[in-house]
Amino acid sequence: MQKPEQSTTNSQNNLVMETKATVLQKNVGLISGICLIVGTMIGSGIFISPKAVLEGTGTVGTCLSVWAACGVLATLGALCYAELGTMITKSGGEYPYLMESFGPIPAYLYSWTTILILKPSSLAIMSLSCGEYAATSFYPGCTPPVIVIKSLAAASILLLTVMNCLSVKLSSYVQNFFTAAKLLIILIIVVSGIVMLAKGNTQNLQNAFEGGETSFGAIGLAFYNGLWAYDGWNQLNFITEELKDPYRNLPLAIIIGIPLVSVCYVLVNIAYFSVMTPTEVLQSSAVAVTFGDRVLYPMSWVVPLFVVFSTFGAANGSCFTAGRLTYVAGREGHMVKILSFISLKYYTPAPALIFNALLGVCYVFPADINSLINYFSFAQWAFYGLTVLALIVMRFTKKQLHRPVKIPLIIPAVVLVVSCYLVLAPIIEKPEMEYLYCTVFIVGGLIIYFPFVYYKFSWIHKIMTPLTMHLQLLMEVVPPEKTD
């Protein structure tokens, strides 16, 4: 028979074991970190962007060169972020780095633009791609109705948000599973391409650099679309506070994940050209599905199924990281406080995730995928360049900071130059109103910053306090605890 004092001691121990601080928990290990990078990078881009990259380059050889160059650039950018992420171990991606180096205004403008435009539009693009490939199987030989594609996209966003609100571990398991699925379909495509090349289907790869004409701006647009496929190399920096042993796992996940994706992308494009001419690639609305119809018949249904898995997994990664940026910005007072609250039951930033999902659904219905990609890339690369500049600046202004990873300065210098090119080249080559709208929106954030963030007028507090209280009770969320 158990003694009373022993029973009391056991109960106290169990209570201590079950009690957690109300903060985001460190549940993401190395494998999950690699899967987050790989799973977010390999999404819709490799199944949509080949056509857009080829349009900008004009020849097969230049197209493959751009894909390889994009991989090198993504790796260099990620190395910069590895130094930043191990030097400033805060979640939120570029946000804490801009805050540390340039102060609150650039950090606010980044969070303003990314939370309201870049992250939800990225989620919308991935979800639209998922909906397009899912619907294609049910409409053989014709284009699926737009309303069907957009309804499926909205449904996928809502499903992902529910999963991410319920559990970090659940979203990590989902990410790991779908990353394995997308690597499997890439392996199938690559092996099929090798078989076709072995059978002598090499005509599209012969004289690969002949016959095409391109321009300074067109190459820039080709890089935009190629880098859209590579986008996600910085995703682990959004969840640094939830990463186990970030000093080891952050750089290691980058070193493993990004070269793996780069090799996959180049091989997949070679596989496409083993069975499709450049003209056929340009005419195909779903390049991977066309490839499957020609090579894998009667098992061609496998390709659209796994592409749906791929885009769904990428959207899950985007949803996961977007919530963390919104959470951190709310915690710092740059967004409404309710967005920094954490679920008392599930330890997830539920308000931030829900807010991102609502914006993502709003972008799904009026949006066109290509215009969203251009809009996204223009602003995103401006902030990438500013963040890399922050790394260079802090080498001289923050010498006291501990740097477990320290890269040669030539690397951020190269990334900064390329970022400037990617921002300016398309504007010079083909000016569009999208770029002006984006610039006006970014600068327009100051109209909100000064009254709501800097001066914090008392009447705003009187309005927001009861609203925050009611939302807190509705969602069962609390402010994060302060921990050392």
Side-chain angles (χ1 to χ4, degrees):
M1 184 175 178
Q2 196 175 36
K3 295 180 180 179
E5 56 270 17
Q6 182 180 350
S7 177
T8 302
T9 302
N10 289 340
S11 299
Q12 291 174 344
N13 290 337
N14 290 336
L15 183 61
V16 170
M17 291 174 64
E18 291 174 3
T19 302
K20 298 179 182 178
T22 314
V23 294
L24 300 182
Q25 307 297 311
K26 289 185 177 292
N27 290 323
V28 181
L30 177 61
I31 299 300
S32 294
I34 294 172
C35 287
L36 180 64
I37 292 175
V38 175
T40 308
M41 289 177 72
I42 304 177
S44 60
I46 189 58
F47 309 110
I48 291 178
S49 295
K51 179 169 65 173
V53 174
L54 185 59
E55 285 176 346
T57 55
T59 64
V60 173
T62 310
C63 177
L64 295 176
S65 299
V66 167
W67 279 103
C70 288
V72 173
L73 181 60
T75 303
L76 295 179
L79 290 174
C80 298
Y81 276 58
E83 177 174 333
L84 287 165
T86 52
M87 180 174 62
I88 303 171
T89 55
K90 294 182 179 180
S91 294
E94 291 85 350
Y95 180 82
Y97 316 141
L98 295 175
M99 178 77 81
E100 186 73 26
S101 57
F102 299 128
I105 290 181
Y108 170 79
L109 292 179
Y110 167 77
S111 64
W112 158 265
T113 307
T114 305
I115 291 170
L116 296 184
I117 297 288
L118 302 185
K119 278 295 185 181
S121 68
S122 173
L123 179 61
I125 292 167
M126 295 174 187
S127 302
L128 285 166
S129 301
C130 180
E132 182 177 354
Y133 274 87
T136 298
S137 302
F138 298 97
Y139 295 88
C142 63
T143 304
V146 174
I147 188 62
V148 172
I149 294 174
K150 294 188 175 184
S151 297
L152 289 172
S156 65
I157 290 174
L158 296 177
L159 176 59
L160 287 169
T161 303
V162 170
M163 290 192 302
N164 277 272
C165 287
L166 289 178
S167 171
V168 172
K169 288 186 177 180
L170 174 60
S171 59
S172 294
Y173 291 149
V174 169
Q175 190 68 25
N176 296 353
F177 172 80
F178 285 106
T179 299
K182 64 185 68 182
L183 289 175
L184 177 59
I185 189 58
I186 282 178
L187 180 63
I188 291 172
I189 292 173
V190 169
V191 170
S192 301
I194 292 172
V195 171
M196 298 305 294
L197 291 174
K199 290 181 178 180
N201 291 354
T202 60
Q203 61 273 16
N204 295 326
L205 299 174
Q206 296 173 359
N207 302 318
F209 290 92
E210 292 183 2
E213 293 184 4
T214 189
S215 64
F216 181 80
I219 288 288
L221 288 173
F223 267 96
Y224 261 10
N225 287 281
L227 288 167
W228 161 248
Y230 279 97
D231 197 71
W233 48 265
N234 64 331
Q235 294 301 290
L236 212 53
N237 293 71
F238 283 90
I239 63 161
T240 308
E241 294 173 24
E242 296 171 79
L243 192 63
K244 299 175 183 176
D245 192 5
Y247 299 115
R248 170 184 177 270
N249 291 336
L250 178 62
L252 195 56
I254 287 170
I255 292 169
I256 294 172
I258 297 175
L260 173 63
V261 174
S262 303
V263 171
C264 287
Y265 279 3
V266 174
L267 293 178
V268 165
N269 277 277
I270 292 173
Y272 289 154
F273 290 117
S274 70
V275 295
M276 302 170 68
T277 66
T279 302
E280 290 172 333
V281 170
L282 292 173
Q283 291 176 345
S284 175
S285 60
V287 178
V289 173
T290 304
F291 177 90
D293 289 339
R294 296 190 179 186
V295 178
L296 301 175
Y297 188 82
M299 296 292 292
S300 57
W301 57 269
V302 168
V303 175
L305 175 64
F306 275 83
V307 172
V308 170
F309 289 169
S310 177
T311 50
F312 188 81
N316 178 68
S318 178
C319 180
F320 186 87
T321 57
R324 273 59 188 177
L325 171 60
T326 308
Y327 160 79
V328 172
R331 187 176 64 185
E332 296 295 329
H334 283 176
M335 289 287 157
V336 293
K337 274 296 179 184
I338 188 66
L339 296 179
S340 69
F341 285 17
I342 295 174
S343 170
L344 192 59
K345 185 176 181 180
Y346 302 112
Y347 299 96
T348 58
L353 290 165
I354 294 169
F355 182 72
N356 182 64
L358 292 175
L359 289 177
V361 171
C362 290
Y363 277 102
V364 160
F365 287 96
D368 169 71
I369 290 181
N370 290 327
S371 64
L372 277 175
I373 289 176
N374 291 336
Y375 198 21
F376 173 85
S377 300
F378 165 73
Q380 187 65 78
W381 276 97
F383 285 116
Y384 284 157
L386 191 61
T387 304
V388 172
L389 178 61
L391 171 61
I392 298 173
V393 169
M394 284 192 286
R395 282 288 184 91
F396 301 97
T397 61
K398 306 284 184 180
K399 294 181 179 180
Q400 76 281 7
L401 293 177
H402 176 55
R403 291 172 170 82
V405 176
K406 191 173 183 179
I407 60 173
L409 271 178
I410 186 64
I411 293 178
V414 169
V415 177
L416 178 59
V417 171
V418 174
S419 299
C420 293
Y421 166 74
L422 290 171
V423 171
L424 297 176
I427 299 175
I428 296 171
E429 174 72 16
K430 187 181 178 183
E432 292 185 4
M433 292 302 293
E434 286 176 342
Y435 305 129
L436 178 61
Y437 294 152
C438 184
T439 304
V440 170
F441 182 86
I442 294 172
V443 177
L446 295 175
I447 298 174
I448 304 297
Y449 175 79
F450 285 103
F452 289 91
V453 178
Y454 187 79
Y455 290 109
K456 296 180 180 178
F457 294 142
S458 58
W459 61 269
I460 298 172
H461 179 74
K462 291 179 181 178
I463 294 174
M464 291 305 301
T465 298
L467 179 61
T468 300
M469 183 179 67
H470 284 90
L471 289 173
Q472 183 179 355
L473 292 171
L474 176 66
M475 293 186 283
E476 296 183 351
V477 293
V478 295
E481 294 181 20
K482 293 183 179 180
T483 56
D484 295 330

